[in-house]
Amino acid sequence: MIAQDEQIRVTLPDGSVREYPKGSTGLDIATKISEGLARNVLAAKVNGVVQDATLPINENANVQLLTWNDAEGKATFWHSSAHLLAEALEALYPGVKFGIGPAVETGFYYDVDLGGQPFSQEDFKKVEDKMLELARQKQQYIRKPMSKADAIAYFEEKGDPYKLDLLEGLADGTITFYSQGDFTDLCRGPHIPNTGFIKAAKLMNVAGAYWRGNEKNKQLTRIYAVTYPKQKELDEYLFLLEEAKKRDHRKLGKELELFAFSEKVGAGLPLWLPKGTVLRERLENFLRKAQVRAGYSPVVTPHIGSKQLYVTSGHWEKYGEDSFQPIKTPNPDEEFMLKPMNCPHHCEIYKTKPRSYRDLPLRLAEFGTVYRYEQSGELHGLTRVRGFTQDDAHIFCRPDQVKEEFMKVIDLVLYVFNTLGFSDYSAQISLRDPENKAKYIGSDDLWEKAESAIIEAAAEKGLPTVTELGEAAFYGPKLDFMVRDAIGRKWQLGTIQVDYNLPNRFELEYIGADNQKHRPVMIHRAPFGSMERFIAILIENSGGNFPLWLSPDQIAILPISEKYEDYANDLFFSLQENDIRGFVDLRDEKIGRKIRDAEVNKVPYMLIVGDKESAEGTVSVRRKGQGDLGSMPIADFIKTFQAEVKV
Ligand SMILES: [Zn+2]
Ligand SMILES: [Zn+2]
């Protein structure tokens, strides 16, 4: 027994220190704070280690009580649910044997050997119902340390070769069992207090998986599932999953004929189809215009550069081995690289003439296509590719101009976000690790100036930010943008990055007011990362319903029959003259079919023409998402269109 008066000091995340009797559990501590907290505690993090909320704490400790709102709380919930799934399977499929059952990013799986009993989607409901039936019994997860010999004896008797295989790798004295209800598993934990927390369960998928990932071993059945503490949260998750599937840019890219991939051209090298090219050019022109207004000078540089350029920049040393390999020429002494970054080229542009402090900032912008050899397993639609076009720019400025330049870039980024309908955005400021300053190049003074410049610029622009220490690159601090899309997913966009390294490597200089040579600061800036990635996000955010000005086909003219083809064609030409893009649907199809197809292709305006329209010189207008706008004279439609298309 622990003496009543023995107390331990517990430090909570807010820094407050409280005393509790030695042997108190996370759950005891939660109960003393509030009943509500006690009902929601899933696990406790004690001195950095996640453990059962029901395990005693015997010494002074930092304690964080984990709930559903903590990633580690969720992981504990889902891993505990894997035990519940196993319990349900054992009840329904006698003799089932178990491999491993970890939590994954969303949910969990268990690898099981059903001994030849069939298992498919049709069986999901039965298992879900059993899981919930067991969950309602509020069975406790009971931890029990076991000797290795006893553990082996248990699974030999049960006849589970996989657990015996796992036990082989474990040292005596480290082994624990966990039981809930009639089910016992080999596991180091931690788990939630009892199964009653699990209120909703859904089996998601079933697949084959070799034991220990080795194809020489037996293939087990991997059952993926997800659980939630509320049915409503599961429903929301399933709804978002369906929405995400509908919005997948790879699917929509194909359906809307925006881009394609060809094995013959090469993996990760997107081919922009005519409609996608229209979209992309519109977007580029929009950014180009905004950049000219913000004082950028456009430049164009080649797709390759001599290997020596990248030896100077340091890219060769750092990435050479893992990149596309050098390009040979008939001259054995020369080698070229596909450009992985535009910066070295822009440094050479800076050096084409002497620069004075009065010339700065110099802002060089390029839609520069770069090539990086991503592993084939990493490739994904337009978001991970091997050739892509950055909305790149490099700002060369004096140290005292960093803040102002950051403010201007933030302005530009927010202007574009607002125009494109991203209203929920945030940024991360990445600073030096103050404990380990030796890791970074550039003087203390420069770093402090740049870091406070970024922090102040973001604050003055009202940008919601989080600050991360130690996340800066070795060559400078940075600001990364994130947006949340229409269905709540977070996307990482591009960066504004201070660089003290390349100006040194390229020996960039300017003559200061003191008539002395100084080194400029370089700021890399690709707010959207790449056109490819940004368009992918745009597709997924809008579900393919682009704003009118970006839509590849803005109008579809739909004659009711071939009698009205001439009128439709005349109409088309007059709209084209007003810079309105689209097509006339001259197929021998019913009007209903033509409307449906235009809907599927997400054409914003449908212009229906028949007897009445051709006689009166009007069009019948349907706006996607709004329905029938009635008939109007052509001139009125052009006005309506032009009012909407303005950005
Ligand atoms: Zn476990
Ligand atoms: Zn750069």
Side-chain angles (χ1 to χ4, degrees):
M1 280 301 286
I2 297 157
Q4 278 285 319
D5 54 351
E6 260 193 278
Q7 297 281 311
I8 53 165
R9 290 164 60 80
V10 167
T11 310
L12 295 168
D14 64 1
S16 65
V17 179
R18 301 189 191 196
E19 293 209 341
Y20 297 98
K22 184 174 172 181
S24 293
T25 66
L27 212 49
D28 295 333
I29 295 172
T31 307
K32 292 205 175 119
I33 296 172
S34 84
E35 279 296 326
L37 181 58
R39 272 197 304 277
N40 289 303
V41 168
L42 300 174
K45 197 170 182 179
V46 180
N47 291 330
V49 179
V50 184
Q51 64 174 46
D52 297 343
T54 50
L55 219 59
I57 302 166
N58 292 320
E59 50 196 56
N60 295 345
N62 291 308
V63 175
Q64 185 190 353
L65 300 168
L66 301 173
T67 69
W68 181 251
N69 296 324
D70 303 293
E72 288 162 314
K74 273 198 182 80
T76 305
F77 186 93
W78 279 327
H79 167 67
S80 305
S81 303
H83 285 246
L84 181 65
L85 168 64
E87 186 184 1
L89 289 171
E90 199 162 69
L92 296 168
Y93 300 87
V96 56
K97 301 188 176 31
F98 297 99
I100 54 165
V104 293
E105 204 185 327
T106 306
F108 56 93
Y109 66 78
Y110 219 126
D111 285 346
V112 302
D113 181 349
L114 290 159
Q117 301 176 78
F119 188 80
S120 70
Q121 300 253 348
E122 279 103 78
D123 304 297
F124 284 7
K125 175 83 172 51
K126 178 171 72 179
V127 177
E128 290 158 10
D129 289 347
K130 190 71 182 174
M131 284 173 76
L132 293 178
E133 177 196 321
L134 295 167
R136 279 192 293 272
Q137 296 169 11
K138 296 196 170 77
Q139 301 161 348
Q140 289 186 325
Y141 288 88
I142 298 162
R143 182 177 186 275
K144 191 171 168 201
M146 294 291 280
S147 72
K148 190 162 176 171
D150 287 349
I152 290 172
Y154 177 85
F155 282 110
E156 268 176 352
E157 160 139 30
K158 194 178 176 192
D160 195 325
Y162 309 104
K163 295 294 174 186
L164 288 168
D165 192 18
L166 291 172
L167 272 166
E168 247 174 58
L170 299 179
D172 205 358
T174 66
I175 297 165
T176 52
F177 278 12
Y178 274 86
S179 302
Q180 92 273 7
D182 296 331
F183 179 74
T184 296
D185 207 346
L186 167 69
C187 188
R188 80 167 81 90
H191 301 96
I192 57 178
N194 67 67
T195 58
F197 286 81
I198 301 164
K199 295 283 201 310
K202 179 92 185 144
L203 268 55
M204 302 299 292
N205 201 0
V206 54
Y210 293 105
W211 173 237
R212 290 189 180 272
N214 184 341
E215 56 189 277
K216 293 203 184 92
N217 290 338
K218 182 159 186 191
Q219 196 175 45
L220 306 182
T221 304
R222 177 167 293 178
I223 302 172
Y224 287 94
V226 67
T227 49
Y228 278 87
K230 286 185 186 134
Q231 181 64 40
K232 192 170 149 260
E233 288 179 58
L234 173 61
D235 294 343
E236 275 166 13
Y237 170 69
L238 295 175
F239 173 76
L240 288 183
L241 211 60
E242 267 317 299
E243 267 306 296
K245 256 192 225 159
K246 279 190 230 156
R247 289 161 180 262
D248 188 325
H249 76 275
R250 293 167 301 176
K251 175 176 163 282
L252 284 171
K254 201 173 196 173
E255 286 170 9
L256 302 176
E257 296 181 20
L258 300 174
F259 60 89
F261 289 93
S262 143
E263 255 176 58
K264 221 164 202 165
V265 171
L269 299 169
L271 303 172
W272 287 89
L273 305 178
K275 286 185 189 182
T277 305
V278 168
L279 168 68
R280 182 182 157 130
E281 278 179 351
R282 286 264 147 170
L283 197 58
E284 274 188 16
N285 287 338
F286 161 69
L287 288 173
R288 246 184 215 116
K289 254 178 31 204
Q291 286 182 167
V292 167
R293 279 202 299 268
Y296 289 79
S297 308
V299 293
V300 175
T301 65
H303 287 235
I304 64 174
S306 88
K307 181 178 150 189
Q308 204 47 47
L309 181 67
Y310 300 104
V311 171
T312 302
S313 72
H315 290 116
W316 170 252
E317 196 189 359
K318 200 141 191 240
Y319 304 109
E321 297 266 300
D322 305 317
S323 297
F324 286 107
Q325 292 304 294
I327 301 162
K328 307 264 185 228
T329 74
N331 178 349
D333 297 330
E334 63 183 4
E335 283 182 315
F336 291 87
M337 302 287 295
L338 278 171
K339 94 176 152 183
M341 294 198 159
N342 303 302
C343 352
H345 288 76
H346 292 187
C347 286
E348 288 299 303
I349 291 179
Y350 181 91
K351 289 182 80 168
T352 53
K353 66 178 195 183
R355 308 283 177 182
S356 123
Y357 69 99
R358 282 186 302 257
D359 301 331
L360 303 183
L362 177 69
R363 308 182 191 94
L364 303 178
E366 177 175 16
F367 288 93
T369 304
V370 297
Y371 300 89
R372 296 180 192 169
Y373 190 77
E374 301 283 352
Q375 294 300 312
S376 55
E378 302 281 309
L379 298 174
H380 181 89
L382 289 182
T383 57
R384 275 304 261 287
V385 285
R386 286 178 173 162
F388 54 95
T389 302
Q390 293 181 311
D391 57 317
D392 210 0
H394 294 95
I395 300 167
F396 300 89
C397 67
R398 305 190 304 259
D400 63 288
Q401 293 172 319
V402 170
K403 177 176 164 187
E404 169 116 34
E405 289 310 304
F406 261 78
M407 304 233 285
K408 286 191 168 150
V409 179
I410 294 171
D411 276 340
L412 179 68
V413 172
L414 297 190
Y415 165 67
V416 179
F417 281 175
N418 290 330
T419 309
L420 291 169
F422 293 104
S423 54
D424 190 351
Y425 48 77
S426 61
Q428 176 179 315
I429 300 174
S430 299
L431 305 177
R432 261 192 316 184
D433 176 0
E435 310 286 305
N436 192 2
K437 290 185 181 171
K439 232 172 63 180
Y440 305 90
I441 75 153
S443 72
D444 247 11
D445 179 48
L446 280 176
W447 270 85
E448 272 156 30
K449 266 201 198 115
E451 291 189 340
S452 52
I454 297 174
I455 294 167
E456 286 168 23
E460 281 177 38
K461 289 294 165 193
L463 198 61
T465 55
V466 288
T467 302
E468 295 289 346
L469 296 178
E471 288 290 305
F474 77 93
Y475 53 86
K478 63 173 176 169
L479 182 85
D480 293 299
F481 289 95
M482 253 99 54
V483 290
R484 211 180 266 280
D485 72 10
I487 58 170
R489 294 171 301 174
K490 259 194 171 178
W491 297 84
Q492 164 94 50
L493 289 173
T495 298
I496 322 175
Q497 165 91 57
V498 176
D499 186 350
Y500 298 119
N501 181 39
L502 284 186
N504 276 342
R505 285 182 164 264
F506 281 88
E507 300 177 327
L508 306 184
E509 288 170 348
Y510 68 91
I511 303 296
D514 57 1
N515 234 352
Q516 300 294 308
K517 286 178 176 172
H518 295 273
R519 192 129 284 169
V521 180
M522 186 172 178
I523 300 172
H524 308 256
R525 182 237 67 153
F528 312 113
S530 73
M531 298 309 290
E532 283 74 10
R533 184 175 167 78
F534 192 59
I535 289 172
I537 296 169
L538 209 55
I539 294 171
E540 301 222 359
N541 185 53
S542 66
N545 293 305
F546 302 113
L548 186 58
W549 64 277
L550 272 178
S551 290
D553 284 319
Q554 299 167 316
I555 52 136
I557 300 174
L558 313 178
I560 287 184
S561 78
E562 62 183 320
K563 254 170 69 188
Y564 312 107
E565 269 179 24
D566 287 345
Y567 180 68
N569 283 327
D570 289 348
L571 172 63
F572 184 52
F573 288 125
S574 57
L575 294 180
Q576 269 189 323
E577 273 172 17
N578 285 280
D579 202 22
I580 298 172
R581 291 183 314 275
F583 61 94
V584 188
D585 188 344
L586 293 172
R587 293 174 305 163
D588 184 19
E589 294 283 358
K590 292 240 160 51
I591 187 69
R593 173 67 191 269
K594 289 182 181 181
I595 290 175
R596 226 172 17 255
D597 287 350
E599 287 271 353
V600 168
N601 286 309
K602 304 186 191 290
V603 180
Y605 278 104
M606 281 173 251
L607 307 178
I608 298 152
V609 293
D611 216 15
K612 183 166 166 283
E613 289 79 10
S614 64
E616 295 173 355
T618 60
V619 285
S620 273
V621 182
R622 279 174 77 98
R623 175 72 175 97
K624 188 167 196 306
Q626 292 175 22
D628 211 339
L629 302 186
S631 83
M632 56 182 86
I634 295 169
D636 285 6
F637 170 70
I638 293 173
K639 266 188 222 146
T640 306
F641 182 96
Q642 284 170 342
E644 186 185 338
V645 86
K646 282 239 155 38
V647 292

